[in-house]
């Protein structure tokens, strides 16, 4: 009986964010039966409100060398680009220690190599999915610019630009006049820009997930609104996923529940140090400006992206866990910063949001088989790059389940690497 179940039971993917939806689609393309479970609607988690950027250049981890010296400032400046809610510090401490340990020059070099291996081909991995969904026009291959206001600021980022160059990232340094030519909407306050031609964005990150989820269903996948609460396990395998609606037998399970994956993996006896970097956004439906392409500030940690529904101002990092209320002053800081770039920004009708980046302390996701179960797979922890890596993760998980060599060393993404 159990053999029969193994052959006929579907693969269950938990979480219909960008990572889960793409994984479910890739598995469906393999001819597998796939059930996608989410306690809410597709894209309502962190994939709801990100900066909409699909980037292959993000080879610099969050924890760069010297980050340890920034921790005191992170604790006392709640509105800084990187802040820690000090009440959360006791719970964050183990994660923070790993974060700092991962910031040594040697580790940063290794991590950037592992990030590059994942990010290379991240945009191309979307090609078959957007084609199947008929939404090729939702991806704009415009490139993006990062901007620097001062000579000193630009100089201090040289080691990180060098790191990008060592990883083969395509970039072009722009002087102030060239920057203005490329993006005339910007105020003339910048000394330098760096243009990254290989960066794309989607014109609406939420509709993007929703369209992909709709394609999953129309291609024969089963999408169900159920909250997962446990697993039925025996002999090192997961036989069924338990939800608020009952049980679903499975031949394999993929945990892709973003920042909420920790509780689920704990039930599989696996405890990777997943936490959350909270981020904020404002969306201005009628901003009164028409930027040509997304613009990013490394110094201030936010991006402005021209979406089909207005201007998205998104970013900053707040280490504060999954339970504390948002600090909306951080969204105000986003507006204040963006209105220096685009002085006549109209904020009438704006909406604001806070989301939970699923973040590992070394800035690398978990993609791989769960340590104690031969048919359980983990796909979470994508931090700042979940939209960029959604399709690439789906591709890699599908390779793994099919027993194919993905062509890259998967060891850096193992759940038990710490
Ligand atoms: C402000 C901000 C800006 C960002 N900008 C970018 C960007 O420009 N580019 C980029 O690449 N990334 C960006 N990111 C990061 C990106 O948004 C995330 O990495 C990505 O959305 C994570 O996707 P996910 O599918 O892993 O998680 P989610 O989108 O959170 O999906 C997880 C899903 O799991 C479901 N779930 C959880 N627990 C259960 C359960 N027990 N049972 C059933 N379902 C469950 C949730 O309901 C949710 O739908 C940004 C993030 C923030 C906060």
């Amino acid at each position: 009986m159990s053999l029969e179940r193994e052959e006929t039971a579907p693969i269950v993917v938990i979480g219909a964010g960008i990572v889960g939806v793409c994984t479910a689609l890739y598995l469906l393309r393999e001819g597998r039966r796939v059930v996608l479970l989410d306690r809410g609607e597709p894209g309502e988690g962190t994939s709801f409100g990100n900066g909409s950027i699909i980037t292959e250049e993000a080879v610099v981890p969050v924890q760069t060398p010297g980050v340890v010296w920034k921790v005191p400032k992170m604790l006392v400046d709640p509105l800084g680009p990187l802040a820690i809610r000090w009440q959360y510090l006791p719970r964050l401490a183990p994660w923070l220690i790993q974060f700092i340990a991962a910031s040594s020059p040697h580790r940063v070099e290794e991590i950037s190599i592992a990030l590059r291996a994942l990010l290379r081909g991240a945009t191309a991995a979307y090609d078959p999915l957007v084609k199947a969904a008929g939404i090729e026009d939702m991806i704009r291959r415009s490139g993006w610019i990062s901007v620097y206001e001062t000579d000193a600021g630009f100089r201090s980022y040289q080691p990180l630009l060098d790191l990008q160059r060592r990883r083969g990232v395509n970039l072009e340094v722009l002087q102030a006049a060239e920057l203005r030519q490329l993006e005339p909407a910007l105020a003339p306050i910048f000394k330098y820009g760096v243009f990254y031609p290989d960066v794309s964005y989607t014109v609406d990150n939420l509709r993007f997930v929703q369209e992909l989820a709709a394609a999953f269903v129309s291609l024969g996948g089963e999408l169900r609104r159920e909250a997962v609460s446990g697993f039925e396990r025996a002999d090192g395998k997961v036989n069924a996923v338990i939800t608020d609606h009952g049980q679903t037998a499975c031949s394999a399970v993929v945990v892709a529940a973003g920042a909420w994956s920790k509780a689920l993996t704990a039930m599989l006896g696996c405890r990777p140090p997943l936490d959350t970097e909270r981020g904020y956004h404002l969306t201005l439906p009628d901003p009164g400006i028409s930027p040509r392409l997304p613009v990013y500030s490394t110094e201030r940690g936010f991006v402005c992206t021209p979406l089909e529904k207005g201007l998205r101002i998104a970013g900053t990092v707040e280490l504060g866990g999954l339970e504390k209320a948002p600090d909306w002053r951080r969204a105000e800081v986003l507006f204040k910063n963006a209105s220096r770039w685009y002085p006549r920004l109209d904020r009438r009708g704006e909406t604001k949001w806070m989301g939970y980046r699923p973040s590992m302390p070394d800035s690398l996701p978990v993609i791989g088989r769960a340590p104690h179960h031969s048919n359980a797979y983990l796909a979470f922890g994508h931090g700042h790059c979940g939209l960029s890596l959604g399709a690439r993760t789906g591709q890699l998980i599908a390779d793994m389940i099919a027993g194919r060599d993905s062509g890259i060393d998967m060891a850096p993404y193992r759940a038990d690497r710490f």
Side-chain angles (χ1 to χ4, degrees), residues 14-21 37-55 126 144 205 209 224-230 243 256-261 263-264 267 277-281 303 305 312-316 334 353-359 379-390:
I14 305 170
I18 189 66
V19 174
V21 168
L37 301 176
D38 200 294
R39 60 188 177 196
E41 295 296 325
E44 281 188 346
T46 312
S47 302
F48 179 90
N50 56 49
S52 241
I53 305 292
I54 300 170
T55 170
Y126 274 112
W144 79 342
N205 60 289
V209 186
R224 289 198 230 137
R225 190 165 177 162
E226 297 182 24
V228 175
S229 55
T243 76
W260 298 273
S261 300
L264 295 170
M267 291 178 218
E277 292 171 76
R278 297 145 54 115
Y280 292 75
H281 90 207
V303 61
T305 310
R312 166 73 43 84
I313 310 167
T316 81
L334 284 175
W353 171 85
M354 185 192 73
Y356 303 94
R357 295 183 191 89
S359 298
F380 56 78
H382 294 74
H384 294 241
C385 296
L387 174 61
S388 307
L389 287 171

Side-chain angles (χ1 to χ4, degrees), residues 265 268-272 366 368-374 376 378 414-416:
T265 55
L268 295 172
C270 163
R271 289 180 171 75
V366 172
R369 203 196 297 258
H372 311 297
H373 295 83
S374 59
L378 309 178
R414 288 168 60 117
D416 56 1

